Amino acid sequence: MYKYLLCWRYLKTRYIALASVISVMLGVATMIVVNSVMAGFAHTMRDRLHGILADVVVESYDLDGFWDWRDVQSIIQKECGDLVEATAPTMETFGLLKIYLPDGQAVTRQVMVIGIRPEDRAKTGDFSEFVQDENGKLIKPGFDVPKNWQTNSPAGHLLKDTPKDDPLHDILRQQAGEQVPDRGAIVGYALATIHRPGALTDDFIAPAGSRIGLAFPKSGRKPEAAYDDYTVVGFFKSGMSEYDSMHVYVPLERLQYMRMLGDGLGAGAVNQIQVQVKPGVNINEVASRLQRVLDSRRPLYFRVATWEQKQGPLLEAVKIEQFILNVLLFLIIAVAGFGILAIFSMIVVEKTRDIGVLKALGASTGGVRGIFLSYGLALSIVGCGAGMIEGLLIVHYLNDIENLINSLTGTRVFNPDIYYFSEIPTLVEPWTVAGIVLGAIAIAVTASVWPAQRASRLHPVQALRFE
Amino acid sequence: MTKTESVTTMILPLSFKGQHIMSAHLHAVGLKKAYRKGRSLEVPVLHGVDFTIEAGEMVAIVGASGSGKSTLLHLLGLLDGPDQGHIYLNGERIDQLPDKKRDYLRNTAFGFVFQSYHLMPELTALENVMMPQLIRLSPWQWFSQKTQLKREAASWLERVGLGHRGKHKPSELSGGEMQRTAIARALAGNPQIILADEPTGNLDAESGESVMKLLRDLNRERGMTMIVVTHDLSVARQADRIVRLNQGLVESFNPGVAA
């Protein structure tokens, strides 16, 4: 009983020891904040990645794809029909984007051209949640070009005042079609805009209604490029710069036709089938089942991957980054542990005579050790508890704190334009918090083991005579 | 019955003048002790001391500084082990007991009073007095007996004249009060033998006299065996018997004034 009484009294009277756990407290708070922010980023990023890709993607190794995609869809339905919610055929190929500026100049960018059927693609993943207009308002994914855009074009204006029997009428109508093609494209937000440092808004270089040109490889023995014009009808903004600065969505049938992989009316090849599985279904199992059955149909032709496997390197990089950061932060707590060790050693020296008296009164070696171990445990619980509360409070009010710092310093600590988040995302994972707190307690208690051992081994006579 | 309990019960069946008291016969034979300083320097302190104290007796050990008085007391109280020689408590050899049993005997059979009082500064006088019981009992036992043990500790404080000082910390007590608290602590464990090392050494004459009177009264009232180490002959004369140590050897046994 004396162990707990003395431990409690030491806790209440030895403020220097309490000071020693401030470092543990700060370490725990920092780890909770950093892990929560990183988990928030990772979680949001995973959400967005998953939103862009369907759960499972069946793709051909050949960029020209496969013509019998309807048979592949049937196989998917037959093999995993009860697990699959929707499928969407797509054609993905690299290409070059030409953005024509009003002053006659043109900007060329490397892009990924993706042919889709908007209704089908919207059923696989969160694609429809990322398509917006110039003002950032979500719009229904589609490639229809409003009729008035052509009539409002320079040639369209002239066309309005030109009689139909005028020889210029057909020429102007052709020019209006060239100035505003009737084929729509959804362009990645970062492709269509330029962000100037310090500017509050982005400048559109390819606003809605503007013409863009796309060049991409044709199918055939010799590498040859196809070129096609489109009108920008929407913007793809997922929050992942990798996609927002690369993706251009066009009608599937048009892309098939231009690549000489389809008749433009529905028959054609695709090189991907996006598969959305039902909630709660194990996507890895679905992927391996599909891989097996497709391999048996056409060996070494199809690659079936889950969205996580396709984004493996990026997700792995985030995990490694988080792990390294945790190791470094735990080292800070380990340094704090040495502080506890030093202060505990000092307290043991200060309490030498008391230890001698306790032994004279019959306290055992284990009992004396227990006093200092309990004391170390109590201190670490106090420090880690305070650190946990502090960390959780900071996480809870992180955006308010950021706003306060912004207003005090006049600079933006967290720039939403860079991260595409309106606020700092956070996610408190209870197991992570528990792990941090228990780890810190273990370090603090370990740091008190040596002083406790030293105290317990003091000879009672030498301790009593200690000056 | 645990091993520790079996050892203790062997050396505790005592009574004095018909009432159950804590008193014991302590006997030491050929005690030798040397302290090592550095790697090679050995300082012999006791050269073969034979010592006996009967149950209920009060013995003063006197001698010059460095004569081995405190060392002898530490050996008798199991705070240290002899290099040679044996110590018997009620006929049972105790100097070779394992650490756990020595701890148990220090807690139950011996009560220590030190020159510098050695009270725990974080605890109140009452809590200091309860310390032997706190060491002895598990938290569960403590909580089930707390009220009774507090009452007993308060009565010991009352007995030493400090009933009103129970809630005071040592820093709020005078030297004499601290020493009386230390005596109450030694008594609260219901020991068989009180071992007092210069109990009046840090006190003024009046306080010293008061403390010695208290020890003498306890010895007479309860038949408690007491060994008092002192270099003050006026203190020693209050004992039943005086043992003089000179250069690590017992030089003479002189009856004290009270004998």
Side-chain angles (χ1 to χ4, degrees), chain A residues 213-435:
Chain A
L214 281 173
F216 38 77
K218 277 184 191 174
S219 171
R221 282 181 177 273
K222 282 185 181 175
E224 205 175 331
Y227 177 84
D228 204 6
D229 284 336
Y230 296 87
T231 300
V232 177
V233 293
F235 304 95
F236 178 78
K237 189 176 182 183
S238 66
M240 297 295 297
S241 65
E242 185 186 342
Y243 299 112
D244 295 356
S245 61
M246 284 294 283
H247 283 193
V248 177
Y249 293 89
V250 296
L252 175 65
E253 285 74 14
R254 180 70 186 179
L255 184 63
Q256 286 171 330
Y257 177 71
M258 293 304 293
R259 290 195 64 207
M260 298 171 68
L261 287 168
D263 59 7
L265 300 169
V270 301
N271 56 20
Q272 281 188 346
I273 294 178
Q274 310 272 338
V275 182
Q276 184 75 23
V277 301
K278 288 178 179 167
V281 171
N282 183 342
I283 56 172
N284 290 311
E285 193 190 319
V286 170
S288 50
R289 272 168 72 175
L290 290 178
Q291 183 73 68
R292 204 165 43 243
V293 70
L294 290 170
D295 275 348
S296 66
R297 181 187 166 92
R298 203 185 300 177
L300 297 174
Y301 189 81
F302 293 104
R303 176 176 181 259
V304 184
T306 65
W307 71 274
E308 282 176 323
Q309 287 164 346
K310 279 187 80 72
Q311 295 300 335
L314 185 59
L315 294 174
E316 200 56 35
V318 172
K319 266 187 191 171
I320 290 170
E321 197 179 326
Q322 200 164 358
F323 172 75
I324 291 171
L325 209 58
N326 273 320
V327 169
L328 293 175
L329 289 171
F330 245 104
L331 284 178
I332 294 174
I333 297 182
V335 171
F338 282 102
I340 291 175
L341 191 148
I343 288 179
F344 260 55
S345 302
M346 204 178 75
I347 290 174
V348 167
V349 171
E350 185 193 326
K351 289 282 158 202
T352 299
R353 290 216 284 186
D354 287 355
I355 294 164
V357 176
L358 284 171
K359 289 205 160 183
L361 295 176
S364 64
T365 299
V368 173
R369 189 191 303 122
I371 293 171
F372 289 93
L373 285 180
S374 313
Y375 188 30
L377 179 66
L379 276 173
S380 62
I381 288 172
V382 170
C384 293
M388 186 181 75
I389 292 167
E390 187 192 345
L392 293 177
L393 281 174
I394 290 174
V395 169
H396 190 257
Y397 293 107
L398 191 62
N399 287 291
D400 297 318
I401 294 168
E402 190 246 337
N403 289 337
L404 179 70
I405 295 171
N406 288 346
S407 62
L408 289 175
T409 60
T411 56
R412 300 214 68 171
V413 177
F414 177 82
N415 191 344
D417 296 330
I418 295 171
Y419 298 101
Y420 285 159
F421 299 134
S422 55
E423 55 180 25
I424 303 170
T426 56
L427 177 71
V428 176
E429 292 168 323
W431 284 110
T432 306
V433 174

Side-chain angles (χ1 to χ4, degrees), chain A residues 175-213:
Chain A
Q175 283 190 350
E178 282 172 8
Q179 285 168 3
V180 181
D182 55 5
R183 300 169 297 277
I186 297 167
V187 182
Y189 183 82
L191 285 168
T193 57
I194 287 177
H195 178 76
R196 294 178 201 281
L200 292 174
T201 54
D202 300 317
D203 295 325
F204 277 90
I205 54 171
S210 63
R211 183 171 68 100
I212 56 165

Side-chain angles (χ1 to χ4, degrees), chain B residues 38 84 94 137 150 154 206 239-240 246:
Chain B
Q84 279 182 44
I94 59 171
L137 301 176
K150 274 190 174 177
E206 193 181 341
D240 299 325
N246 188 20

